[in-house]
Amino acid sequence: MKQFSQEFIFGTATSSYQIEGPASVDGRTPSIWDTFSYTPGKVLGGDTGDVACDHYNRMEEDIQNIKNLGVDSYRFSIAWPRIFPKQGQYNPKGMEFYKKLAKRLMEEGIKPLVTIYHWDLPQWADNLGGWINRESVEWFMEFAKKCFEELDEYVAQWITHNEPWCATMLGYHQGVHAPGHTNLDDAVKAAHHILLSHGQAVRYYKSEFAGQKPIGITLNLSPVYAASETMNDQLAANNQDGYLNRWFLDPIFKAKYPEDMMNLFSKFVHDYNFIQEKDLQIISTPCDFFGINYYNRFLIEYSAASELLFKEAYSDYPKSGMGWDISPNEFKELIHRLRKEYTDLPIFITENGAAFDDVLEEDGTVKDHDRVDYVEKHLTVVAELNEEGMNVAGYFLWSLLDNFEWAFGYEKKIRNLFCRFQNAKKIYEK
Ligand code: FCB
């Protein structure tokens, strides 16, 4: 049993499109994920978020479940098309839902940790170019300001964006997430505008709200290892690290984009003039904490055939149901690197968890051994990091509920993403 300090925050997390359902009530209009999931072939089994966990109707029941888990905090996100169903048109009815949720959580002694953007861009915004259009920064600011104005008194902590890498590289480069574009030029512009909107929001919040509540951003980070000592594999690992980690870490913490990656990308990104003077200063506006979603490491090898000259190598590590390497030791190395190269801010692990197939016991129950083992290993790392003084201030299990797992839909094998905190929580103590 590992010991955590009284101040340590244990929580669990979700996001709006993955759990809410009721896609067209109380004035909500479609998001890019509604459009994408309705496009044949984009989501496994043709699944959509129309119903999902019906959280929109079952909020109170879900709050009771959170309460019964005994966690300190609950992380959720706000569906932008509920708040601004049309450009410039505020919908108080949509905001009411989140106000009620945040208020009820507070009453139950659970701290609301709010993510402003977890990927459900309104379709109207995408029709105007989405994140590729620099005006998206203004649209986001209008949305974020309303969230601050209406919710700040009930919120414990703010996250501007969840995983800009996924929102942009999966959404605009690899095409496997909404809006499904497949070019790096779009992705790099979209990433820049998302980062800029993050910086603007932090600046605005800190000046207008006198920095009342801690505000930060969440990145998905994975440490990257070369499959061999060869020069080519080392180069490939550096490229994946640049694409996944440094392209986001460097602007946020060092006010610059990594030059090696700018050069590599320039085969596909013909013009970097979308990066305007002062943008990087804004992007690197200091935050109060840093959020990390950690799932796995990457083992990488050289591939002349791939755009960025790398691909995943065969790894003999045990895997989660997503096929991801279970890699708690590398989790520790990641945090060490961040402390050395990037930041002293308090770190929150805003997501961690694993999908596994259900294994039935003889008595017909599911004991969830693999998931408990995964969470135990990662929580142990967090405890050890804190013993070393690494200042990890919180841990949020993904997820509170089985939910719509983006392009994987509700596919059976993946469906059990990360629930059952009940089992996991047996293993820690404050
Ligand atoms: C993260 C996302 C979250 C969920 C988990 C499995 O990338 O933030 O919504 O899909 O992965």
Side-chain angles (χ1 to χ4, degrees):
M1 180 88 73
K2 283 285 171 188
Q3 200 73 38
F4 289 85
S5 76
Q6 278 309 320
E7 299 74 48
F8 190 84
I9 306 275
F10 280 105
T12 178
T14 60
S15 85
S16 45
Y17 190 72
Q18 293 182 276
I19 65 160
E20 283 179 3
S24 51
V25 302
D26 295 338
R28 182 188 182 276
T29 56
S31 74
I32 53 174
W33 269 97
D34 297 84
T35 310
F36 194 72
S37 61
Y38 269 89
T39 309
K42 296 298 184 192
V43 172
L44 263 184
D47 292 337
T48 74
D50 281 1
V51 178
C53 309
D54 201 23
H55 172 68
Y56 197 77
N57 291 319
R58 301 171 73 164
M59 175 213 283
E60 189 51 42
E61 187 185 330
D62 291 340
I63 291 173
Q64 290 311 315
N65 285 331
I66 300 169
K67 194 178 160 195
N68 293 337
L69 294 175
V71 289
D72 308 299
S73 180
Y74 171 55
R75 174 179 175 228
F76 60 92
S77 78
I78 302 189
W80 186 344
R82 289 195 195 280
I83 310 301
F84 282 94
K86 291 196 180 133
Q87 187 178 12
Q89 198 180 98
Y90 173 55
N91 177 31
K93 190 97 187 125
M95 187 62 90
E96 273 316 304
F97 173 78
Y98 298 103
K99 239 187 219 175
K100 190 165 165 209
L101 171 61
K103 259 191 201 167
R104 286 287 301 114
L105 288 165
M106 290 286 254
E107 284 163 16
E108 299 293 353
I110 302 155
K111 296 185 168 72
L113 169 46
V114 174
T115 309
I116 299 174
Y117 184 72
H118 199 127
W119 310 352
D120 39 4
L121 185 73
Q123 187 55 50
W124 64 255
D126 189 57
N127 295 345
L128 298 170
W131 289 110
I132 302 167
N133 184 344
R134 194 176 165 100
E135 282 174 32
S136 58
V137 178
E138 282 151 42
W139 310 328
F140 177 81
M141 282 308 295
E142 189 179 28
F143 167 46
K145 280 179 188 172
K146 266 288 173 216
C147 295
F148 294 147
E149 276 162 25
E150 299 295 323
L151 298 175
D152 194 59
E153 63 179 297
Y154 315 109
V155 165
Q157 217 168 320
W158 290 101
I159 291 174
T160 54
H161 282 273
N162 177 68
E163 303 188 347
W165 180 85
C166 292
T168 59
M169 297 304 182
L170 294 181
Y172 290 84
H173 179 214
Q174 300 184 22
V176 295
H177 275 193
H181 297 205
T182 49
N183 74 77
L184 191 60
D185 191 60
D186 285 356
V188 166
K189 282 195 186 104
H192 185 67
H193 297 142
I194 284 189
L195 290 174
L196 189 58
S197 75
H198 153 75
Q200 295 266 33
V202 173
R203 277 202 176 180
Y204 173 86
Y205 182 75
K206 286 189 171 263
S207 64
E208 296 301 311
F209 286 79
Q212 284 182 32
K213 311 284 172 64
I215 186 165
I217 188 169
T218 280
L219 300 185
N220 55 303
L221 300 174
S222 289
V224 179
Y225 300 85
S228 81
E229 293 293 310
T230 64
M231 197 49 96
N232 277 1
D233 285 351
Q234 302 284 329
L235 182 84
N238 178 68
N239 288 354
Q240 158 72 331
D241 180 52
Y243 176 65
L244 180 69
N245 301 319
R246 289 183 289 119
W247 194 258
F248 297 87
L249 285 166
D250 286 16
I252 290 171
F253 293 110
K254 300 182 175 171
K256 65 183 179 63
Y257 284 108
E259 268 173 35
D260 59 332
M261 298 310 292
M262 287 185 85
N263 284 329
L264 183 67
F265 288 175
S266 63
K267 234 165 94 187
F268 310 95
V269 180
H270 304 294
D271 179 354
Y272 280 109
N273 287 337
F274 62 86
I275 305 171
Q276 296 179 10
E277 218 196 317
K278 306 235 170 77
D279 282 2
L280 283 152
Q281 259 168 275
I282 295 171
I283 291 172
S284 58
T285 303
C287 293
D288 302 307
F289 66 92
F290 181 42
I292 297 168
N293 293 350
Y294 180 76
Y295 290 101
N296 59 302
R297 68 151 197 174
F298 279 106
L299 192 68
I300 291 296
E301 67 188 6
Y302 183 77
S303 162
S306 94
E307 270 185 0
L308 303 177
L309 305 175
F310 67 82
K311 66 171 193 211
E312 265 195 84
Y314 167 77
S315 149
D316 58 6
Y317 274 33
K319 308 272 186 275
S320 74
M322 298 288 258
W324 296 341
D325 279 2
I326 299 174
S327 38
N329 296 334
E330 289 80 355
F331 176 34
K332 191 182 263 185
E333 289 181 13
L334 169 73
I335 305 295
H336 285 159
R337 176 195 185 187
L338 293 171
R339 285 296 180 227
K340 208 164 132 220
E341 294 178 30
Y342 289 99
T343 182
D344 292 330
L345 288 176
I347 286 176
F348 282 79
I349 307 305
T350 42
E351 287 178 28
N352 177 246
F356 288 105
D357 283 342
D358 283 348
V359 179
L360 284 185
E361 306 289 318
E362 272 174 19
D363 64 2
T365 60
V366 176
K367 294 276 193 294
D368 232 6
H369 300 292
D370 289 337
R371 184 172 291 103
V372 172
D373 189 56
Y374 180 99
V375 175
E376 185 167 23
K377 289 201 166 98
H378 288 77
L379 271 179
T380 301
V381 166
V382 172
E384 288 168 3
L385 284 165
N386 281 337
E387 279 159 22
E388 296 170 21
M390 291 284 145
N391 194 10
V392 181
Y395 174 96
F396 289 72
L397 187 82
W398 186 271
S399 171
L400 172 69
L401 303 160
D402 282 354
N403 59 43
F404 176 83
E405 180 46 34
W406 309 113
F408 294 107
Y410 305 98
E411 200 246 349
K412 200 170 159 288
K413 238 173 83 189
I414 313 291
R415 176 180 54 87
N416 280 301
L417 262 181
F418 322 125
C419 61
R420 309 208 183 85
F421 203 60
Q422 289 96 328
N423 284 344
K425 79 175 181 148
K426 284 186 213 135
I427 58 189
Y428 69 80
E429 192 178 80
K430 283 217 223 187

